Amino acid sequence: MENFNIQAFIPLFYLVWSDDNLTDIEFETLKSFINSQTWLQEKDKLYLLTKIDKQNPPTREEIIGWKNQLETIVQNNPNISSIFDIIVDMSTASKTALGEFKNDFLQLENDLGVLGEEVVSQFKSKINLATSKSKTASNFDITKITALLNGDQAEIIDKVKKVISQPEFAYYTEESISSYRDKVYEWCKILANENFGNMAFPKEYGGGDDILNYFSIMETLSYHDLSLVIKFGVQFGLWGMSVQLLGTKKHHEKYLKDIGSLKLPGCFAMTETNHGSNVKGLETTATYDHQNKTFIIQTPYPNAQKEYIGNAAVHGQMATVFAKLIINNHDYGVNAFIVPLRDSEGNVLNGIKIGDCGPKMGLNGVDNGTIRFDNVIVPKENMLDRFASVNEKGVFESPIPSDNRRFFTMLGTLVGGRIGIPRSALAAAKSGLAIAIKYGDQRKQFGPDGESEVPILNYRIHQRRLLPHLAKTYAVHFALQYLTKRFVSRTEADMQEIEALAAGMKSYSSWSTTAILQECREACGGKGYLSINRLDRLKNDTEIYTTFEGDNTVLMQLVAKNRLSEFRKSFGKMDSVGLIQYVYENAKTVFSEKNPIATRRTDEAHLLDKQFHLQAFQYREKSILASAAKRIKKLIEDGLAAYDAFNVVQHHMIDVAQAYLERVTLEQFLFAIDTVEDKAIQAVLEKLAQLYALAQIEKNKAWFLEDGYLEPVKTKAIRKMVNQLCWDIRPDAVALVDAFAIPASCLAAPIAFQEQK
Amino acid sequence: MENFNIQAFIPLFYLVWSDDNLTDIEFETLKSFINSQTWLQEKDKLYLLTKIDKQNPPTREEIIGWKNQLETIVQNNPNISSIFDIIVDMSTASKTALGEFKNDFLQLENDLGVLGEEVVSQFKSKINLATSKSKTASNFDITKITALLNGDQAEIIDKVKKVISQPEFAYYTEESISSYRDKVYEWCKILANENFGNMAFPKEYGGGDDILNYFSIMETLSYHDLSLVIKFGVQFGLWGMSVQLLGTKKHHEKYLKDIGSLKLPGCFAMTETNHGSNVKGLETTATYDHQNKTFIIQTPYPNAQKEYIGNAAVHGQMATVFAKLIINNHDYGVNAFIVPLRDSEGNVLNGIKIGDCGPKMGLNGVDNGTIRFDNVIVPKENMLDRFASVNEKGVFESPIPSDNRRFFTMLGTLVGGRIGIPRSALAAAKSGLAIAIKYGDQRKQFGPDGESEVPILNYRIHQRRLLPHLAKTYAVHFALQYLTKRFVSRTEADMQEIEALAAGMKSYSSWSTTAILQECREACGGKGYLSINRLDRLKNDTEIYTTFEGDNTVLMQLVAKNRLSEFRKSFGKMDSVGLIQYVYENAKTVFSEKNPIATRRTDEAHLLDKQFHLQAFQYREKSILASAAKRIKKLIEDGLAAYDAFNVVQHHMIDVAQAYLERVTLEQFLFAIDTVEDKAIQAVLEKLAQLYALAQIEKNKAWFLEDGYLEPVKTKAIRKMVNQLCWDIRPDAVALVDAFAIPASCLAAPIAFQEQK
């Protein structure tokens, strides 16, 4: 056992000398340990003690020698998980012979304040750190990821890609906004002819009766010009679906076919200059005239005009106009009416005054305009009367008595827009990432002294800028698939939850896209600033996604309020005061059971464990929700009006919504990965999920530290692991954006294709 | 003393009952305390005990009554700082009579785990929380802030504002990029005629010899069209100053006057397609021909062309071209040469091939182009020979022997660009904030039930989005003033530090502007998307500021490396290993002396104390720097090449640079405030400085928590204080952007002026 006597201490010596911070006390501990080991011979003891003499430290070469020895052992034996395992492996003695000393060594580890697992993982993660060596690899079948992403909609997605890859869909690059608008309109006609526009309309009106396909069309079109997508969405989604969903059979028969074929271009005229987010406050009036069985549509003052209305400035012939219904001086709240704007030659009708919103930051292919109504008379049947109507006697009728609830029910039916937009945003993020990652893989700058320059994607900071975003984009993809499926199979019971989820995912995805395209632009440097490389349009076109279909900040408040009411619901009738306290404490208890170890664990297996990720996300979601509830309760008890109390906690409410959306997104990404059978695909997607999860935990780490759910040693380890995952994913990054299968003519940016010399 | 006996306990009762988390033990503590007080009569004791009976809690009204009583006292007596002070104030007994019980009560506070100062501050900060009541006020003389911001340059600033407010400076709003470029060129001529362009040139060549004025001109022009600023900067800053600073008398005499008058438009041709950040790797060659005493300028292959060169596509007649000097097949590194591009009629000369960079995300009024040289011959005197020359014998001569050092010395003289750009970015941020804050003050949306709608700037989240940015903009203003002054009075000894500061502030300011304009756009919703409201141009024009004059991410690495070398320098010749360890530990010790209290203190006076802020910033700066040094050392000791080690820590290095820049910025803001005499001005600027400081600490709070410098109780209090400061500053926000004194015709955005109805 001579050999063993010395060998057994190598891991400990290495630990002692490699750690700059080791204290005298720890040296003494090790000395005592050596002296107290009865199985050691005196000469061994003396020899060993020379190795921990602070006056005679080992040479640098000796330390490196130990380290190499340890690395070899750990890397050749994946099962090693403790220092004692190393000792066993190094030793010439039999395992059973050594077993009796195990407890001694474990006690020593403890006395030295050393975590065995951590020490081992330090030797394990011996990845290649040479900057110049990392490069694009081909580790899996890209088409299998594409198939997973496309799911059941693969057929329609391929069809759309084929259409937008045709020569007539060459991007518009001239300077005239007017011709750009016409070009986009022409493209829409081609899409209508392909029966893309009416995809969600009932079959009896020429439609495809397939809302899943409709959303996939929206998303796939978004690889092309985003003005086209929005123009398409205004015509078929907003105008068409408002007629379909707010109208009744007589409207469907009269309009849907022509809307679907784009024979009847129209608008969705809800927003007014003075009322955007607060649409309940719209001021346009529709006054019922019982004598003539008509409505008089009126803009009461200039800033009550409809504003930002797509299709209004040039092409729209009709509009669904949202206006307060007035009957006999009584206000019945906001309802919807079909109002003609132009004749079929495009001449603006009497009483209609159209303004042009003029040049915009982006989406200049869409003709947004303002509309004012001066005594415009429309027949009674133009009221979209699914939820409310005026009967033969001129009396208001509705199955939903509350004006407020009726209005929000109407809005609820239109929630599809909050699915189409985030999916379009997602596609734009994919385009941006494809451009930036493919450029970063080829663009070389700087390098080791005297050697070739290195692709900028090999730089850690470049990876940090792009790869967590790539992971998030994959995660959001599956979350949006989930949202879509929930929407399609919705019932009245879960409608509120789905509305909140849609509002939330719209915000989460559009904000994500804004942040991603910002990074992509910067990551492509000067090339990213040239319009030809398309980040310009992608960025500017999607910039408004965070505002339209509901301002994100406002939507996030709604989402948080929905979470608060779900939270209250799920605890039924308990007294609200004690209840909130209870849930808060309960959440703490449930999770803190795992804490004493979990808050400090930093070994690789744990940090990469999806159960850890999911629990952390869930814990954060519940705790933030409970603490927001508690805070609001306290403010109200302190005498604040609810309106003011909610104002005080607005910042907190954003976190409530965010934590909820992050949990849903991670969960759906993990569910999707579970369905994958191909091992290589599963492996790379798992890495992406780990990166998504840890990058979010890192982003929120101040909260986790404040809460005590994580300790500093762990958040620091997480930061390192995020860096590590970026480095590990880098060789697959190009394949992962190729898997989006964006048509080359759509991606278009020369920097995504050209060789750099 | 009867009255006192009861009154004295009100603060404690309130504490006990208002805190949901109070434990049974704490109830018992209070009971024991009451029972043990010999000065209390038995009936008083019995009465008091009824007030802390968990079975018979006080009514909500009673608790609120106590609270109101306490608030009144605290708010009327600013000197109150402990619970005992309250008791004294409430009591009918004399102060001296009460004095003897003071220690008893202090002990009780301690036993209850209550921090007196915190409790008091809770009653102090009884600000008005009614959302609808907050509004713009006029608390100080705006012109005094303007005067402070303008400083000694007030005269030239006013002159520039006057010029750009003239009718001929009406913004260009047509669609043609070509006419836009011409318009910008015309504007530049007007500015040249005003002697703005040659402001920094020597007087003997018609200049103003005033670099301080020149930078103020750049900054002030940036309230107008940013294409104009960049075109101006290319002509007079890059082209002009390269001739001035890299050339010698013969060049000055020949060119400077015509450059200053814009008779000779020119370019600064450094960047190549394949070499942007890594300019040392430029591949254009200038081969010396001794027989003809000429240089042959050559683009060796297409992607070695000059790219993004301002003034190249249309107007430039000459260029300072950076090229590798080759003499007798020996490469002497990159030097600068004047190369004619066009004749005075604008015809491109033989051997020159100009490309057009085409439409860009922004700055479309600047004619960026590519330049290729095919065997272009220029005379020997065209070499800008301040730092190197070819002598009469055709032999290379330079006072700086190292090619590398010579090149970086040349670049160093051009550091002025890294002052002009961040100051231009600052002005753009000011414009964006002026637009968004003035709009937010007027735009109303939502409101309390049944009441008028409320300005959106009254919403906490809206304040959170904009006001920390306002504070940062003020802070950066003073930091850039400091940078400018350091630059003007530079010596060789501090040149490296100033170069790093300039590189850093260029990054800090331009990233800040990108983030600010993003928030401003979102905060203005749909209106922010319309080009007429100018956030479009501001955002897109400044987007490239984070890239040009050096990619921010690359510059931040340089800044961090400079900090590391300063760090090494300041500890002289000590052994590097022990040294780093020493400094690291030392930094910890120095600051941790203050820690036991400081990490937990949450009272208002402390949280708002600038000493606390500055120490936190300094501590972070030093600690991050030391830990980065330590990490690099370890990686290199582990056998990594320095190049790879620096790659591993790139993410950390960004933090090193960031922490340094934040400290400088806070410090300079505080110095500037110290010079203010007007109390009202000082007060509002102090609030801004507090908001800047706390918002940065909040942003970095995960780091402070990881480090242990702050504890969760404190970071949570800081979050609340940031909210509070936003709320407090909101009434002054409009005045604070008015103080920028941006000419109305430049600000232009209708939403910054129009009343909303």
Side-chain angles (χ1 to χ4, degrees), chain B residues 28 205 255 317 319 388 396 602 662 755:
Chain B
E28 288 308 319
Y205 309 113
Y255 302 113
Q317 291 177 15
F396 183 81
T602 61
E662 285 174 351
E755 282 297 317

Side-chain angles (χ1 to χ4, degrees), chain A residues 60 131 273 275 278 303 443 453 459 465 511 521 529 540 543 553 637 643-644 706 715 756, chain B residues 60 131 273 275 278 303 443 453 459 465 521-522 529 540 543 553 637 643-644 647 706 715 756:
Chain A
R60 189 163 171 268
T131 312
T273 302
H275 286 94
N278 186 15
N303 271 356
R443 167 73 173 179
E453 290 183 294
Y459 292 109
R465 297 182 93 163
W511 263 332
R521 203 300 294 160
Y529 199 58
N540 281 316
E543 172 64 37
T553 305
E637 283 179 357
Y643 171 79
D644 293 318
E706 282 181 350
T715 57
Q756 291 303 306
Chain B
R60 189 163 172 269
T131 312
T273 301
H275 287 93
N278 187 14
N303 271 356
R443 168 71 175 178
E453 290 184 294
Y459 291 109
R465 297 182 93 163
R521 204 299 294 159
E522 290 184 37
Y529 200 58
N540 281 317
E543 173 64 37
T553 305
E637 283 179 357
Y643 171 79
D644 293 318
N647 191 15
E706 281 181 349
T715 56
Q756 292 303 307

Side-chain angles (χ1 to χ4, degrees), chain B residues 343-554:
Chain B
D343 63 24
S344 56
E345 259 78 67
N347 304 301
V348 175
L349 301 175
N350 278 342
I352 304 286
K353 196 172 166 195
I354 300 283
D356 193 318
C357 289
K360 304 185 297 285
M361 191 178 289
L363 298 181
N364 278 306
V366 183
D367 54 323
N368 295 91
T370 57
I371 312 174
R372 292 186 198 174
F373 305 95
D374 182 17
N375 213 28
V376 174
I377 294 166
V378 298
K380 181 165 173 282
E381 70 256 27
N382 279 24
M383 179 168 175
L384 291 170
D385 56 356
R386 178 173 165 201
F387 294 105
S389 57
V390 180
N391 71 13
E392 288 307 308
K393 294 176 187 156
V395 174
F396 183 81
E397 283 184 343
S398 172
I400 309 169
S402 151
D403 290 349
N404 211 12
R405 212 190 125 202
R406 187 187 325 115
F407 180 58
F408 286 110
T409 304
M410 281 171 58
L411 290 186
T413 61
L414 304 172
V415 73
R418 291 185 183 158
I419 296 173
I421 290 305
R423 290 186 59 173
S424 173
L426 174 73
K430 288 178 180 172
S431 294
L433 286 167
I435 293 167
I437 286 175
K438 288 154 86 75
Y439 179 60
D441 183 53
Q442 292 180 49
R443 168 71 175 178
K444 292 174 180 167
Q445 207 74 176
F446 298 108
D449 268 350
E451 291 178 40
S452 314
E453 290 184 294
V454 166
I456 56 177
L457 195 54
N458 288 14
Y459 291 109
R460 300 291 191 133
I461 194 77
H462 210 77
Q463 295 169 5
R464 264 274 184 179
R465 297 182 93 163
L466 296 176
L467 301 187
H469 283 316
L470 177 63
K472 188 175 184 187
T473 298
Y474 267 87
V476 170
H477 176 98
F478 294 107
L480 290 173
Q481 289 290 320
Y482 166 71
L483 167 64
T484 309
K485 279 169 200 146
R486 288 290 308 271
F487 172 72
V488 169
S489 60
R490 68 194 178 279
T491 63
E492 212 181 306
D494 60 11
M495 198 53 210
Q496 279 200 325
E497 186 205 335
I498 291 167
E499 280 176 34
L501 183 64
M505 286 307 303
K506 182 270 181 183
S507 305
Y508 193 61
S509 174
S510 60
W511 262 331
S512 174
T513 293
T514 298
I516 288 173
L517 293 172
Q518 181 66 41
E519 283 294 1
C520 289
R521 204 299 294 159
E522 290 184 37
C524 293
K527 286 288 183 194
Y529 200 58
L530 303 181
S531 301
I532 195 172
N533 288 318
R534 288 196 62 241
L535 292 168
D536 169 2
R537 285 278 173 87
L538 286 168
K539 198 164 172 306
N540 281 317
D541 288 347
T542 56
E543 173 64 37
I544 197 65
Y545 281 39
T546 56
T547 299
F548 67 15
E549 279 288 345
D551 176 89
N552 280 6
T553 305
V554 176

Side-chain angles (χ1 to χ4, degrees), chain A residues 262-531:
Chain A
L262 197 43
K263 194 178 152 197
L264 182 61
C267 312
F268 181 82
M270 179 181 279
T271 300
E272 296 173 359
T273 302
N274 271 357
H275 286 94
S277 294
N278 186 15
V279 279
K280 218 180 76 181
L282 293 178
E283 292 171 295
T284 302
T285 53
T287 307
Y288 182 60
D289 173 350
H290 190 50
Q291 200 167 1
N292 295 307
K293 305 264 167 78
T294 57
F295 295 102
I296 303 158
I297 313 292
Q298 183 70 31
T299 301
Y301 66 100
N303 271 356
Q305 70 185 351
K306 297 295 175 185
E307 187 162 12
Y308 315 117
I309 309 304
N311 243 352
V314 181
H315 299 119
Q317 291 176 16
M318 281 194 181
T320 294
V321 173
F322 290 83
K324 288 195 294 189
L325 171 60
I326 312 284
I327 309 177
N328 289 329
N329 293 319
H330 184 90
D331 176 351
Y332 289 92
V334 175
N335 285 271
F337 307 84
I338 291 181
V339 182
L341 302 177
R342 291 183 175 84
D343 63 23
S344 55
E345 258 78 66
N347 304 301
V348 176
L349 300 175
N350 278 341
I352 303 284
K353 196 171 165 195
I354 299 281
D356 194 316
C357 290
K360 305 186 296 286
M361 191 178 290
L363 297 180
N364 278 304
V366 183
D367 55 324
N368 295 91
T370 58
I371 313 175
R372 293 187 197 173
F373 305 95
D374 182 17
N375 214 26
V376 173
I377 293 166
V378 299
K380 182 164 172 285
E381 71 256 26
N382 279 24
M383 179 169 177
L384 291 169
D385 56 356
R386 178 173 164 201
F387 294 107
S389 58
V390 180
N391 71 11
E392 288 306 309
K393 292 176 188 156
V395 174
F396 183 81
E397 282 184 342
S398 171
I400 308 170
S402 151
D403 291 348
N404 211 10
R405 211 190 127 203
R406 185 186 327 115
F407 181 59
F408 286 109
T409 305
M410 283 170 56
L411 290 186
T413 61
L414 303 172
V415 74
R418 293 185 182 158
I419 297 172
I421 290 305
R423 290 186 59 174
S424 174
L426 174 73
K430 288 177 180 171
S431 294
L433 286 167
I435 293 167
I437 287 174
K438 287 154 85 76
Y439 179 61
D441 183 53
Q442 292 181 49
R443 167 73 173 179
K444 291 174 181 167
Q445 205 74 178
F446 298 108
D449 268 350
E451 291 180 39
S452 315
E453 290 183 294
V454 165
I456 55 176
L457 195 53
N458 288 13
Y459 292 109
R460 299 292 189 132
I461 195 76
H462 210 77
Q463 296 169 4
R464 264 273 184 179
R465 297 182 93 163
L466 295 175
L467 301 186
H469 283 316
L470 177 64
K472 188 174 184 187
T473 298
Y474 266 87
V476 169
H477 176 97
F478 293 107
L480 289 173
Q481 289 290 319
Y482 166 70
L483 167 64
T484 309
K485 278 170 201 146
R486 288 290 307 271
F487 173 72
V488 169
S489 60
R490 68 194 178 280
T491 64
E492 212 181 307
D494 59 11
M495 197 52 209
Q496 280 200 324
E497 186 204 336
I498 292 166
E499 281 175 34
L501 183 64
M505 287 308 301
K506 181 270 181 184
S507 305
Y508 193 61
S509 173
S510 59
W511 263 332
S512 174
T513 292
T514 298
I516 288 172
L517 293 172
Q518 181 66 41
E519 283 294 2
C520 290
R521 203 300 294 160
E522 291 183 37
C524 293
K527 286 287 183 194
Y529 199 58
L530 302 181
S531 301

Side-chain angles (χ1 to χ4, degrees), chain A residues 734-745:
Chain A
V734 170
L736 286 166
V737 296
D738 280 343
F740 298 145
I742 302 169
S745 67

Side-chain angles (χ1 to χ4, degrees), chain A residues 727-739:
Chain A
W727 183 261
D728 291 347
I729 288 169
R730 182 264 176 265
D732 293 325
V734 170
L736 286 166
V737 296
D738 280 343

